[in-house]
Amino acid sequence: MTWQLTLARKAELRRKAGLNRQLRIRGAAVNLLDLAGNDYLGLARHPRVLRAAGDTLNEYGLGATGSRLVNGSTKIHETLEATLSTALGGEALLFSSGYLANLGAIRGLARRGGLLVHDAHAHASLIDGCRLSGVPTTVMPHSDPQTLAAILARHPGPAVVIVESVYSVHGDLAPLRDLYKTCRVAGAILLVDEAHALGMLGPDGAGGVAAAGLSGADNIVITATLSKALASAGGLIVGPRELRRHIIDTGRTFIFDTASPPAVAAGALAAWQIAVDEPHRRATVSRRIVHAAEALGVTVPAAGVLSVPVDDARKAVAWADRCRALGVAVGCFRPPATPDRRSYIRLTANAELSQADFDRAIDLIVRERP
């Protein structure tokens, strides 16, 4: 049997189990009520964001044309890093994606003879960072500071604990203060991925760490993506000056990757400024996600994403397809993309939708529930 036939057989098995995936081509025109994307604050088409990106596109051209260390760093990258450094309480380093930022952060923090501990619900990029580090890794039960304390007590060497502030599938908030206390007692570093919290939680949207009163605390490192509430692309690591210097000098996902286009960075900077200037957008998302959770009978999440469990992957796909056919886009999360091997319909709240459209979308989702 050729290798192509082997892959085809595996694909057929996934199809029968409802685990196959397909690309959905999205047009420029908005023809669906979007409760699937991560543009929580509704900034992807904001005039200030488009103007900033367009002006920078005309000035710098399409791409960065090189890595950050060759010729890919521009004044707009520097300004975005400085702005987010001030907001998040550390020194920021910009990457072309949140995935690469997570790989780079974990590799930069990992030490020979050390231990990595990641939450059982950690994002794939965090898990991959642990695997690629070559450092022994332990999985702790989800949001369980007591078990974490026992794990760290058994390991006398350096340790890095890896969590998300808001988890990307269930939307729940990590107990960051308790996790930080546990790490501090053990002398461990706490790495917090703020992907779904940046722009959404804390003062001016500075994230879950800021909301927990831990901005600038010793032994906390933040990673985040600019592709969620800030409606752009790129990732960042925020931590002490020594870490930034270390990653610039040694971080493979920083050194050998082409920089994010200046126009994209400019759009992200404009989006951040809007998020600070217009807190009513966060308030709108909060109200809407509470309404959606109550209508669907699930726990109210921490930020702008919630998931509804479905007992079979094929039922989840069918539910999502019915909603899409009727004009509402929802996410459909199935193994291996879920942390507990269950399937979910995932909804996000978008502040840009009218209240009438959002209510209509939720009513339709509830009506079509299997």
Side-chain angles (χ1 to χ4, degrees):
M1 180 180 289
T2 67
W3 63 272
Q4 295 99 324
L5 289 175
T6 300
L7 295 181
R9 175 174 289 182
K10 290 181 177 181
E12 178 61 16
L13 292 173
R14 290 194 301 271
R15 186 193 67 78
K16 290 180 178 178
L19 299 178
N20 59 313
R21 286 157 170 78
Q22 61 182 359
L23 297 174
R24 295 188 182 275
I25 306 304
R26 179 170 66 91
V30 179
N31 53 13
L32 290 171
L33 299 180
D34 183 14
L35 273 66
N38 294 316
D39 183 18
Y40 303 125
L41 300 179
L43 300 178
R45 295 174 180 268
H46 194 287
R48 282 172 60 185
V49 172
L50 297 182
R51 184 166 57 250
D55 290 347
T56 307
L57 180 66
N58 289 331
E59 183 177 0
Y60 283 96
L62 179 60
T65 75
S67 69
R68 291 289 308 277
L69 293 174
V70 177
N71 62 347
S73 291
T74 66
K75 183 65 176 177
I76 192 66
H77 292 93
E78 183 181 56
T79 302
L80 179 57
E81 287 176 334
T83 300
L84 292 174
S85 294
T86 300
L88 274 62
E91 294 209 4
L93 183 64
L94 188 64
F95 287 69
S96 66
S97 76
Y99 208 111
L100 292 180
N102 276 343
L103 298 185
I106 293 172
R107 186 66 188 88
L109 293 171
R111 293 290 178 268
R112 182 176 299 177
L115 177 70
L116 300 177
V117 183
H118 72 72
D119 190 278
H121 288 195
H123 188 266
S125 59
L126 299 169
I127 295 171
D128 288 351
C130 292
R131 290 173 176 172
L132 292 170
S133 72
V135 172
T137 300
T138 295
V139 180
M140 72 172 182
H142 181 51
S143 291
D144 187 345
Q146 289 184 331
T147 300
L148 173 62
I151 292 171
L152 295 176
R154 293 193 297 266
H155 178 76
V160 181
V161 177
I162 301 159
V163 302
E164 298 177 53
S165 53
V166 174
Y167 284 90
S168 57
V169 175
H170 295 153
D172 55 313
L173 184 67
L176 291 180
R177 290 181 185 174
D178 291 339
L179 291 167
Y180 177 67
K181 289 177 184 177
T182 301
C183 289
R184 189 171 183 180
V185 168
I189 297 169
L190 179 62
L191 172 62
V192 183
D193 182 343
E194 296 264 39
H196 293 271
L198 183 66
M200 294 299 302
L201 300 181
D204 291 334
V209 170
L214 296 172
S215 291
D218 290 342
N219 289 355
I220 285 188
V221 174
I222 292 170
T223 63
T225 177
L226 307 177
S227 63
K228 312 298 185 190
L230 300 189
S232 183
L236 64 148
I237 299 173
V238 182
R241 179 177 306 168
E242 294 82 359
L243 176 63
R244 188 178 193 273
R245 180 73 266 167
H246 177 68
I247 292 176
I248 289 174
D249 286 343
T250 69
R252 295 175 67 85
T253 61
F254 179 81
I255 295 170
F256 298 107
D257 184 54
T258 298
S260 60
V264 172
L269 179 59
W272 171 258
Q273 291 166 341
I274 295 167
V276 172
D277 294 342
E278 301 182 6
H280 66 271
R281 291 177 178 269
R282 285 189 291 280
T284 296
V285 172
S286 296
R287 288 195 306 270
R288 290 180 174 179
I289 211 69
V290 169
H291 168 64
E294 291 174 347
L296 288 157
V298 297
T299 302
V300 176
V305 55
L306 69 82
S307 290
V308 184
V310 185
D311 60 10
D312 182 88
R314 290 163 293 188
K315 290 182 182 179
V317 172
W319 188 9
D321 286 346
R322 286 196 304 274
C323 290
R324 178 174 289 271
L326 294 171
V328 177
V330 298
C332 182
F333 279 34
R334 294 157 290 157
T338 57
D340 53 7
R341 308 297 297 176
R342 301 180 70 187
S343 295
Y344 295 88
I345 291 297
R346 196 185 79 150
L347 314 180
T348 54
N350 187 324
E352 196 66 10
L353 289 178
S354 71
Q355 188 63 51
D357 280 345
F358 183 79
D359 290 343
R360 180 161 61 88
I362 296 300
D363 289 345
L364 185 147
I365 293 165
V366 171
R367 187 177 70 242
E368 297 301 319
R369 187 174 190 169

